[in-house]
């Protein structure tokens, strides 16, 4: 359901928060930090009134199984395991309204292209890799590392 809420504003202005569920959300998570990645996607999506399909990395599916099993999601969370083929199919599926993807830049390009080609245009949120800087000190023992 959609909600409108008036919020107190400063200096005579009024603010309004409007919550509109997107519908069916496909949430694709990477192998690293599987529980945290899934929770950061699932909790706000369900709190906003959406139904979710969680597609974890095949390397981290067991953690997500526990998340799906141990919490009573009242049929708002479905778990899909498998390799990239399953995600590629769902990203293009007409019943998906929103895609959230965390992963590689290459995978993100595929997701964004599929969402842009969907009819109607599908919303997507991408968090792509390459942000993990590594600093090697001049006195580091590379053989030991």
């Amino acid at each position: 359901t959609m909600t409108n809420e008036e919020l107190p504003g400063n200096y005579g202005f009024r603010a309004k928060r409007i919550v509109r569920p997107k519908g069916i959300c496909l949430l694709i998570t990477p192998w690293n930090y599987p529980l945290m990645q899934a929770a950061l996607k699932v909790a706000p999506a369900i709190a906003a009134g959406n139904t979710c399909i969680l597609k974890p990395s095949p390397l981290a599916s067991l953690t997500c199984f526990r998340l799906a099993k141990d919490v009573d999601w009242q049929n708002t969370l479905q778990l899909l395991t498998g390799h990239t083929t399953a995600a590629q199919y769902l990203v293009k599926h007409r019943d998906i309204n929103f895609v959230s993807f965390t992963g590689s830049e290459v995978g993100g390009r595929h997701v964004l292209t599929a969402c842009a080609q969907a009819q109607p245009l599908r919303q997507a949120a991408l968090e792509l890799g390459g942000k993990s800087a590594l600093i090697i000190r001049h006195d580091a023992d590379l053989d030991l590392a």
Side-chain angles (χ1 to χ4, degrees):
T1 61
M2 186 176 95
T3 60
N4 291 325
E5 179 183 359
E6 291 278 339
L7 302 172
N10 295 326
Y11 309 107
F13 291 98
R14 293 182 313 165
K16 185 182 276 192
R17 181 175 64 174
I18 301 172
V19 178
R20 290 188 184 112
K22 295 185 180 302
I24 300 174
C25 299
L26 175 60
L27 312 174
I28 304 171
T29 59
W31 61 270
N32 55 336
Y33 307 109
L35 182 60
M36 180 63 80
Q37 294 282 353
L40 287 173
K41 290 182 182 296
V42 169
I46 289 177
N50 298 294
T51 299
C52 301
I53 300 171
L54 176 60
K55 166 56 184 88
S57 163
L59 301 175
S61 296
L62 286 178
T63 303
C64 293
F65 268 122
R66 290 298 305 255
L67 176 68
K69 179 180 175 256
D70 291 349
V71 178
D72 180 15
W73 296 104
Q74 299 179 359
N75 296 321
T76 58
L77 176 65
Q78 300 297 318
L79 183 68
L80 174 70
T81 60
H83 290 281
T84 56
T85 310
Q88 289 170 346
Y89 174 78
L90 276 179
V91 166
K92 297 175 183 177
H93 196 279
R94 62 182 170 82
D95 289 337
I96 300 295
N97 303 100
F98 177 79
V99 177
S100 176
F101 173 83
T102 301
S104 70
E105 186 178 319
V106 172
R109 286 181 190 273
H110 289 294
V111 168
L112 194 55
T113 299
C115 290
Q117 293 172 348
Q119 295 298 326
L121 183 67
R122 182 166 302 123
Q123 291 183 356
L126 306 178
E127 182 184 343
L128 305 179
K131 295 178 271 180
S132 300
L134 178 64
I135 297 173
I136 301 174
R137 293 176 38 107
H138 66 86
D139 60 346
D141 185 349
L142 297 180
D143 292 330
L144 180 62

